[in-house]
Amino acid sequence: MVDLELMDELDLLRSCCRESFWFFVQEFWEEVPGAGTMIANWHMQVIASELQAVAERIFCNEPKQADVVFNISPGTSKSTLCSILFQPWTWTRMPTMRHLNASHTDALVLDLANKARFVIKSEKYRHLFPEIELLDTQDAKGYFRNTLGGDRLTCTVSGKSPMGFHAHALMVDDPIDPRSVLSDLELKSAADFFTDVLPTRKVDKEVSVTFLIMQRLRGGDPTDVMLERAKQEGAAKVKHYCLPAELADNVSPPELRQYYVDGLMDPVRLSRQVLREYKANGLYSYSGQFMQSPVP
């Protein structure tokens, strides 16, 4: 005999996960290899809410309002939200959704993709969303597909090309290696990727959205490229989230200033003691990576 009470609980959990990305994040956090126990902070809900708002328009095939830029300190779970859990969640609502994920190195972008695959193959995900199955014939870290038409391809900003592939969500996570930030060639390659490559890789240029997730590194970095491009006539608008580790004038949108605690964005991960240690590495790296305000 079917346990109706158990079925009701499963249906409720399944429904809540589908309807809320933030709820899905909390339920599936520990399915991500190495993620450990989730330490929630307000900025994570802000990121999740924006990702869901954009995805809802994609699900309905509605024109996008803007591309999105997140500037936030390292070690704040931005990649787990944007580059790991977001794609498995979208498939619970739109199994045909196509994802293109990029980063500065092949090893990093493949690791993020592989962790997303772990979530999809987890017992919990399979139990709640049995309709999502990966194709045996296309199940590699660099490119995997489900049986209903959705897929995920990885590429690198200045190396492995995404030519021939089109996506609904184009997610670029850390496009520049902080160790190479002084290289003008690295900056030019990244700029070309955003101006010449990504715009041609969209399923529908009116609907598909580009996401940039990064810590600021120097003037002329991809954040500057996207923000300057948005000023051009006819260019896509950009919604800019700038969350420095310490309260400063560049917090964007400015209404998010109210969530800082004693002047700190994340007093657990980025306590004053932790920030003092980072400051000891020098003003140049701290101003860019943590205050999102790069100095010459």
Side-chain angles (χ1 to χ4, degrees):
M1 178 180 290
V2 176
D3 188 331
L4 295 180
E5 184 177 346
L6 179 59
M7 288 297 295
D8 288 343
E9 290 178 1
L10 285 175
D11 288 342
L12 178 60
L13 181 57
R14 184 180 296 113
S15 176
C16 290
C17 283
R18 281 186 172 134
E19 292 305 311
S20 168
F21 177 47
W22 179 239
F23 188 93
F24 179 91
V25 166
Q26 294 173 88
E27 282 296 318
F28 281 89
W29 186 270
E30 293 189 9
E31 302 300 326
V32 177
T37 302
M38 180 177 174
I39 303 173
N41 192 56
W42 64 267
H43 76 278
M44 297 165 66
Q45 285 187 264
V46 168
I47 293 172
S49 295
E50 180 60 28
L51 290 173
Q52 172 148 3
V54 172
E56 294 289 351
R57 289 190 287 273
I58 294 175
F59 298 156
C60 297
N61 199 37
E62 295 177 353
K64 70 180 179 182
Q65 294 183 350
D67 291 323
V68 183
V69 173
F70 293 109
N71 292 145
I72 189 167
S73 306
T76 51
S77 300
K78 60 186 185 295
S79 293
T80 303
L81 289 163
C82 299
S83 297
I84 299 175
L85 290 171
F86 180 60
Q87 174 254 311
W89 173 73
T90 63
W91 281 1
T92 72
R93 295 279 299 278
M94 181 179 171
T96 58
M97 189 159 168
R98 309 189 70 191
H99 291 259
L100 175 64
N101 289 68
S103 190
H104 65 272
T105 62
D106 203 36
L108 175 57
V109 76
L110 287 176
D111 180 62
L112 295 171
N114 198 39
K115 288 176 178 175
R117 282 170 71 245
F118 267 103
V119 172
I120 294 167
K121 291 184 174 186
S122 69
E123 182 178 349
K124 186 171 188 175
Y125 191 93
R126 298 289 301 118
H127 192 51
L128 289 176
F129 311 108
E131 71 279 10
I132 306 300
E133 298 183 79
L134 296 183
L135 275 174
D136 292 337
T137 55
Q138 189 58 66
D139 183 13
K141 287 186 292 185
Y143 179 45
F144 55 87
R145 300 173 59 193
N146 67 44
T147 57
L148 299 175
D151 53 7
R152 173 172 176 155
L153 178 75
T154 66
C155 67
T156 52
V157 170
S158 58
K160 190 167 65 176
S161 171
M163 299 309 289
F165 185 87
H166 297 84
H168 297 95
L170 300 91
M171 189 78 65
V172 185
D173 192 339
D174 285 339
I176 295 180
D177 185 342
R179 293 170 297 182
S180 306
V181 68
L182 295 179
S183 167
D184 289 334
L185 179 60
E186 182 95 359
L187 280 185
K188 184 178 185 309
S189 294
D192 290 346
F193 184 77
F194 280 88
T195 59
D196 301 335
V197 178
L198 286 184
T200 68
R201 300 298 95 208
K202 299 180 177 182
V203 169
D204 185 329
K205 290 177 177 58
E206 291 188 358
V207 177
S208 298
V209 178
T210 299
F211 299 89
L212 170 60
I213 307 100
M214 68 176 293
Q215 54 198 277
R216 294 301 308 272
L217 295 171
R218 62 170 283 191
D221 65 16
T223 292
D224 272 348
V225 171
M226 285 192 66
L227 294 179
E228 288 301 314
R229 185 178 177 83
K231 297 176 183 178
Q232 299 178 14
E233 185 177 356
K237 296 180 180 179
V238 170
K239 189 167 186 179
H240 185 204
Y241 288 87
C242 181
L243 301 176
E246 297 182 81
L247 188 59
D249 291 340
N250 61 332
V251 173
S252 178
E255 57 266 26
L256 297 181
R257 296 170 57 90
Q258 64 182 303
Y259 299 113
Y260 279 66
V261 178
D262 294 329
L264 298 177
M265 187 209 76
D266 189 337
V268 175
R269 293 178 181 84
L270 300 176
S271 66
R272 295 200 185 280
Q273 177 57 40
V274 169
L275 294 179
R276 277 196 292 269
E277 292 176 8
Y278 282 119
K279 286 179 184 178
N281 293 328
L283 177 63
Y284 181 84
S285 61
Y286 187 79
S287 295
Q289 292 181 268
F290 291 89
M291 293 307 294
Q292 313 311 319
S293 182
V295 297

